[in-house]
Amino acid sequence: MPLAAQSFSFVQDLVLRESAIVLGPGKEYLVESRLGPLAQADGSRDLDAWIDGVRRFPTGPAGRALVEALTTNETSFFRDVDPFTHLRDQVLPTLAKARGGSRRLRIWCGACSSGQEPYSVAMTVADSPAVAGWHTEIVGTDLSRAMLERCRTGRYSQLEVNRGLPATSLVKHFVRDGAGWQVSPALKAMARFSELNLMRPLPPMGRFDVVFLRNVLIYFDVQTKQAVLRRVADVLAPDGYLYLGAAETTLGLTGWERVPAGRSSVYRKVS
């Protein structure tokens, strides 16, 4: 039986409110495919009935699970390559000169999904002579508790490491763990992970030298993009760098200037 219109409308509103993701008309199939297994796991064969239960207590565990199921967690190691090349060749040497006194770096990966991006950043830092021996803290945040648990575990399947991870990096920074691979203790020591909803005011986070917020803004309307970028600006150092996804831009949004970075771009705050 197709999903009832009122059920789809409730899901649209809840997901928009909690994650700013817009589920437009025609996404009913996505809702059915993502939420059907949750309903079955809760012992319900009727998706509309299960959604009606969520409606009565939207802030409960089922409501959280609903929102998490409809967020996108597509990622891979060194996704799009260029941002990591630019970080290695341009940004880290520049920051090394500016931060030579403290020899400390802080990098934030927002919407970090299952952790491939922050660990790719960690590998880039670890392999950079410019910041060898520095104290580097990489903070990964995400809305999904399930994804954050995967990040903290640092274990990836053969299929996952085959997606974008060079063989030399695999050998250097991972150890075999049964049929999968485990991130090395040195990389794990650089990274910490915590729950964060970009739609809400940021908790105390300190100042960051680099922020990766890639492939997130594409899901938001202009007003939400501007609000999120204002929050990012508040925690980014005046000479810091913001990386967005290849299909994202700050065009039409105030407070940022674009700097070419290979085939992609990096953004700086306008002073």
Side-chain angles (χ1 to χ4, degrees):
M1 180 180 296
L3 187 68
Q6 63 182 18
S7 294
F8 181 61
S9 178
F10 166 75
V11 171
Q12 284 179 304
D13 292 343
L14 180 61
V15 171
L16 179 63
R17 184 170 68 249
E18 293 298 320
S19 71
I21 292 175
V22 177
L23 295 172
K27 294 291 186 180
E28 290 86 350
Y29 73 94
L30 178 66
V31 172
E32 292 172 0
S33 64
R34 297 277 184 90
L35 300 188
L38 294 182
Q40 292 176 8
D42 281 348
S44 176
R45 296 184 179 180
D46 186 330
L47 181 55
D48 286 308
W50 182 80
I51 292 174
D52 191 52
V54 176
R55 190 197 312 273
R56 291 193 292 270
F57 189 30
T59 59
R64 169 179 284 278
L66 184 156
V67 173
E68 290 190 8
L70 290 166
T71 56
T72 301
N73 292 303
E74 173 63 22
T75 188
S76 61
F77 288 101
F78 295 100
R79 186 176 181 181
D80 300 327
V81 180
D82 279 350
F84 302 96
T85 302
H86 184 263
L87 177 68
R88 180 194 67 204
D89 295 344
Q90 302 294 328
V91 171
L92 291 179
T94 299
L95 289 175
K97 294 176 182 178
R99 308 288 192 273
S102 66
R103 294 172 60 86
R104 300 176 71 90
L105 288 175
R106 297 190 75 235
I107 300 173
W108 175 27
C109 293
C112 66
S113 188
S114 46
Q116 284 92 327
E117 180 179 84
Y119 285 127
S120 295
V121 171
M123 284 183 269
T124 303
V125 172
D127 293 339
S128 171
V131 291
W134 284 39
H135 176 82
T136 302
E137 180 185 25
I138 299 168
V139 179
T141 64
D142 201 88
L143 178 69
S144 170
R145 292 176 181 175
M147 289 296 104
L148 291 169
E149 188 55 38
R150 286 213 60 206
C151 293
R152 296 183 184 109
T153 300
R155 188 179 188 280
Y156 297 94
S157 68
Q158 186 68 52
L159 178 62
E160 287 171 320
V161 298
N162 285 345
R163 296 190 63 200
L165 186 62
T168 51
S169 297
L170 177 63
V171 172
K172 184 175 182 179
H173 296 294
F174 287 74
V175 293
R176 173 66 83 170
D177 182 14
W181 294 87
Q182 181 73 46
V183 171
S184 71
L187 286 194
K188 289 188 76 172
M190 280 192 206
R192 66 178 178 87
F193 301 95
S194 60
E195 182 181 343
L196 186 145
N197 189 334
L198 291 167
M199 299 307 101
R200 300 192 176 111
L202 299 179
M205 299 179 71
R207 189 62 65 89
F208 293 97
D209 304 297
V210 181
V211 173
F212 277 71
L213 192 68
R214 305 179 63 233
N215 307 301
V216 180
L217 298 183
I218 54 174
Y219 298 105
F220 302 158
D221 59 27
V222 173
Q223 184 178 2
T224 303
K225 289 177 184 178
Q226 189 72 69
V228 170
L229 288 177
R230 278 198 298 268
R231 295 180 190 121
V232 171
D234 287 342
V235 298
L236 183 65
D239 61 344
Y241 297 82
L242 167 66
Y243 287 94
L244 301 179
E248 296 171 321
T249 178
T250 61
L251 187 64
L253 304 174
T254 58
W256 300 90
E257 63 178 354
R258 174 184 176 274
V259 180
R263 290 172 293 179
S264 59
S265 303
V266 66
Y267 296 87
R268 309 291 301 276
K269 290 196 297 186
V270 176
S271 57

